[in-house]
Every structure is written in C-alpha cells, then in structure tokens.
Amino acid sequence: MVVNIPDDALRQAGIGPAEVLLELACSLFQAEKLTLGPACRLAGLCRTDFEAELLRRQIPIYRYSEKDFEQDLSTLRHLGRLP
C-alpha cells in the first residue's frame, strides 16, 4: 500500500520520510498493533536501534500482563517454589 503525504505537511512538521516511518512504527508498537519485529522493519532499523528509540520515548518494550503473572505463579507452584 502506498500512502502519499504532501511535502508541505512534512515541511510543516519538520520531518522527512524516514522519520514518518519511525513515528508510525513507534505508534503502532505502543498501541500493540505491531509486534517488535514488524515495527523494526517498518522503521527501517535493527532491533537494537529500535529498542533504543523506544527507550528514549519511554515506550515499554515488554508488557508483563496479568496472564503472564498467573502463568509464572503456576509454573513456580508446579516447581515447588511456592506453596
């Protein structure tokens, strides 16, 4: 899919095409619309550089959910580490 953004809109925003892709990738990752790999590819960055950008923007890379917590508790109980 091709999205056309008028040059004057980019000039007014003070950003170029690469920055638009980075903004979009970060926004979609934060909204949980893209996972890390696809977001990196959209931004045109390696994983390390994209993670550094997320850190700079204070966007969590990993989201520890209640489901994750319950699974961890279940595993610890199964291993005998919790009563």
Side-chain angles (χ1 to χ4, degrees):
M1 175 169 103
V2 175
V3 176
N4 290 311
I5 302 171
D7 290 338
D8 61 324
L10 291 179
R11 277 192 299 276
Q12 187 176 21
I15 61 176
E19 292 166 295
V20 170
L21 291 175
L22 178 58
E23 290 294 330
L24 182 58
C26 289
S27 293
L28 291 173
F29 179 79
Q30 186 172 30
E32 299 183 24
K33 302 285 184 180
L34 283 181
T35 58
L36 191 60
C40 292
R41 286 190 292 281
L42 177 60
L45 297 176
C46 69
R47 181 178 172 148
T48 304
D49 290 343
F50 188 69
E51 286 183 2
E53 182 62 26
L54 293 174
L55 179 63
R56 188 183 74 72
R57 294 170 182 242
Q58 299 181 345
I59 298 173
I61 296 169
Y62 303 104
R63 295 172 182 94
Y64 193 71
S65 69
E66 187 175 331
K67 181 180 176 182
D68 294 329
F69 179 70
E70 292 297 331
Q71 287 175 338
D72 287 348
L73 282 178
S74 176
T75 299
L76 288 170
R77 286 186 183 110
H78 178 74
L79 293 173
R81 305 277 169 100
L82 288 177

